[in-house]
Amino acid sequence: MAESKKRKGKKKVKTGSEPEEESSSGSSISVGDDDLDVDQIGRGVATGQITINRDEYLQAYRDLGNEIKLLQMKNNILHRRLAEYYKKRKLEHVLKPYDGAPDVEEKYNQKLIAYEDLKERAERETADIWSKVGTVENTFTERLEHAETKFAGLQTLERTTGTGLIYSKKGKPIADKTVARFLTLQKRKSEQASALCLRYIRARNAVAELEAIVKKLETLGPGLYVYQYEQLNIDNQNYMTKIEEREDELIKNRAKCTEHNQILAHIREKMNHTDQVIDFTECDLGESEIEYTRAREDLGSVKTRRNKLRWALEGERIKAGLLTRKDLLRDFQDATDQVVILRKRKENLEKQIIQMNGQLREARKTVPM
């Protein structure tokens, strides 16, 4: 990103004294050395005229155009994913346009310039460090050669001193092979000691560097340490989790409140309707009480009439006598029916008697005396 901004910030400057020629074919252009940019594709010749191939530039332009299209597609996809992510997290305010965008862009450009300065400073520091490393290596080589020379002179002195010595106990001279073996052993032990000392120094320096790095990593600032930041980060994550849980509960409570508000509104409507019904019912109740009072008065008069009728009926029943008894009336009815039957039989018998008397008279007339 910084390199692209740097490239955009660069401008080609062309003076009137610089030569510029165009070939008759139009496929290539020859320019001077001062017209070439640092990142120019056709550079490569130190002196003289430079022939630039137009096809190479066109191909590079097409490649860069394709790369820009791919980057734009990738950018759109990433923006869409970010929008979906922020919508899931309910952070739609992040997607709104920021009012201070020019100020932010200016700050970004300033940071890019500061980054370029830091990069140049780091390059200078790296070059200085490499020069110091070369100086230290030369000093190390000189001191190593000096130490080896001194050690070789010491071993020569020891060899000359040890040659011809006699054992104090045995009284025999020390052999040259023994002296050579001792010197070889001394040299080997010296090399081992040097190697161990070098390993110790390297380990000590590595430990010191690691301790410094660890201390630097653990210290974020004056009075600020990494473990505190980690603890704060853990607490932040826990609080964020709790906030998400509370947000979910808040959403549920909002839904419940909305539902309860709807229920309350429905209940209020029902209460208003019920109040109206109660008012109408109270009116009807007053009318019903009036009708009830009238009905009680009418009931009293009706009861009086009923008692009078009951008393009159009782008198009529007393006057009727047997007519009030159903069994006697049933016997009377049966007797009446029997009388009717017997009367009909009597009439039939009288008819038979009259007929028999007529027949008897006729028989008497026919019978001779």
Side-chain angles (χ1 to χ4, degrees):
M1 188 74 178
E3 292 179 357
S4 62
K5 292 284 184 181
K6 186 176 179 180
R7 289 177 182 175
K8 289 180 180 179
K10 291 181 179 179
K11 296 181 180 179
K12 295 182 181 179
V13 179
K14 181 166 43 175
T15 60
S17 60
E18 294 173 353
E20 180 178 358
E21 296 178 358
E22 184 177 357
S23 61
S24 60
S25 60
S27 61
S28 63
I29 303 171
S30 60
V31 296
D33 294 337
D34 296 334
D35 292 337
L36 296 176
D37 195 1
V38 176
D39 296 331
Q40 193 173 1
I41 299 174
R43 77 175 188 275
V45 180
T47 58
Q49 299 295 327
I50 298 174
T51 302
I52 301 172
N53 191 1
R54 187 185 296 273
D55 296 334
E56 185 178 359
Y57 279 95
L58 290 174
Q59 186 63 33
Y61 175 76
R62 294 191 187 96
D63 294 338
L64 291 174
N66 295 327
E67 186 177 357
I68 288 171
K69 290 180 181 179
L70 292 174
L71 291 175
Q72 287 178 352
M73 291 174 63
K74 187 176 180 181
N75 189 17
N76 294 331
I77 292 169
L78 292 175
H79 275 82
R80 192 178 296 111
R81 290 183 180 177
L82 282 173
E84 293 175 357
Y85 173 78
Y86 287 130
K87 286 181 181 178
K88 288 181 180 178
R89 291 288 182 178
K90 295 182 178 180
L91 300 172
E92 289 84 358
H93 64 276
V94 179
L95 302 176
K96 295 180 181 179
Y98 183 64
D99 296 334
D103 297 335
V104 173
E105 187 175 358
E106 183 65 25
K107 290 180 181 179
Y108 179 71
N109 292 327
Q110 292 177 0
K111 289 182 179 180
L112 285 177
I113 295 169
Y115 173 73
E116 291 177 359
D117 296 337
L118 289 173
K119 189 175 180 182
E120 292 177 358
R121 190 185 304 169
E123 290 177 355
R124 290 195 298 268
E125 290 178 356
T126 304
D128 189 11
I129 289 169
W130 280 112
S131 64
K132 290 180 180 179
V133 167
T135 305
V136 171
E137 286 181 353
N138 295 328
T139 305
F140 169 73
T141 305
E142 292 176 357
R143 290 184 179 181
L144 180 61
E145 291 177 355
H146 181 68
E148 288 178 353
T149 305
K150 291 291 185 180
F151 185 74
L154 177 61
Q155 280 198 337
T156 303
L157 180 60
E158 288 177 350
R159 185 179 290 108
T160 55
T161 304
T163 303
L165 293 178
I166 299 172
Y167 288 107
S168 59
K169 293 181 179 180
K170 298 179 181 180
K172 294 181 180 180
I174 299 174
D176 295 337
K177 292 182 179 180
T178 304
V179 175
R181 183 165 58 82
F182 284 152
L183 292 174
T184 304
L185 183 61
Q186 182 185 7
K187 185 177 181 180
R188 188 179 301 166
K189 293 296 182 182
S190 178
E191 291 176 354
Q192 291 178 0
S194 299
L196 290 173
C197 184
L198 182 60
R199 286 178 61 187
Y200 169 74
I201 292 169
R202 288 177 178 175
R204 184 185 64 187
N205 294 333
V207 169
E209 289 178 359
L210 290 175
E211 287 179 352
I213 291 169
V214 169
K215 188 175 181 181
K216 186 176 180 180
L217 291 175
E218 290 180 352
T219 306
L220 298 175
L224 300 175
Y225 298 96
V226 175
Y227 70 90
Q228 295 177 352
Y229 172 75
E230 291 178 354
Q231 185 65 35
L232 291 174
N233 192 10
I234 293 169
D235 295 338
N236 186 19
Q237 290 178 357
N238 294 328
Y239 287 135
M240 288 298 292
T241 304
K242 290 181 181 179
I243 287 169
E244 289 179 358
E245 293 176 357
R246 295 296 182 275
E247 285 180 353
D248 295 336
E249 292 179 359
L250 184 61
I251 290 168
K252 292 180 181 178
N253 292 330
R254 284 176 180 171
K256 289 182 180 179
C257 289
T258 305
E259 185 178 357
H260 290 167
N261 289 329
Q262 293 177 357
I263 293 170
L264 288 173
H266 185 64
I267 291 171
R268 289 194 189 97
E269 292 177 358
K270 283 188 175 181
M271 287 176 65
N272 294 326
H273 179 68
T274 306
D275 292 336
Q276 294 176 359
V277 172
I278 288 170
D279 293 335
F280 290 125
T281 307
E282 286 179 352
C283 294
D284 295 338
L285 180 62
E287 295 176 357
S288 299
E289 287 179 352
I290 295 170
E291 290 179 0
Y292 173 71
T293 306
R294 292 176 182 176
R296 287 192 68 178
E297 294 176 355
D298 295 339
L299 180 63
S301 61
V302 169
K303 283 184 178 180
T304 304
R305 290 176 60 191
R306 184 195 65 182
N307 292 328
K308 289 181 180 179
L309 289 173
R310 185 178 291 171
W311 295 336
L313 182 63
E314 189 67 24
E316 292 295 330
R317 186 178 295 169
I318 291 170
K319 289 179 182 180
L322 297 177
L323 294 176
T324 59
R325 298 181 64 178
K326 293 182 180 181
D327 53 350
L328 294 177
L329 288 174
R330 190 179 297 109
D331 292 340
F332 179 76
Q333 184 68 31
D334 294 338
T336 303
D337 294 337
Q338 190 70 28
V339 167
V340 172
I341 292 169
L342 291 174
R343 187 177 289 129
K344 287 181 179 180
R345 288 182 64 188
K346 176 182 175 184
E347 290 177 358
N348 292 329
L349 290 174
E350 286 178 353
K351 288 180 181 180
Q352 290 178 0
I353 290 169
I354 292 170
Q355 188 178 3
M356 291 297 292
N357 289 326
Q359 291 177 0
L360 183 61
R361 288 189 190 96
E362 289 179 0
R364 284 179 179 177
K365 287 178 180 181
T366 56
V367 174
M369 299 299 292

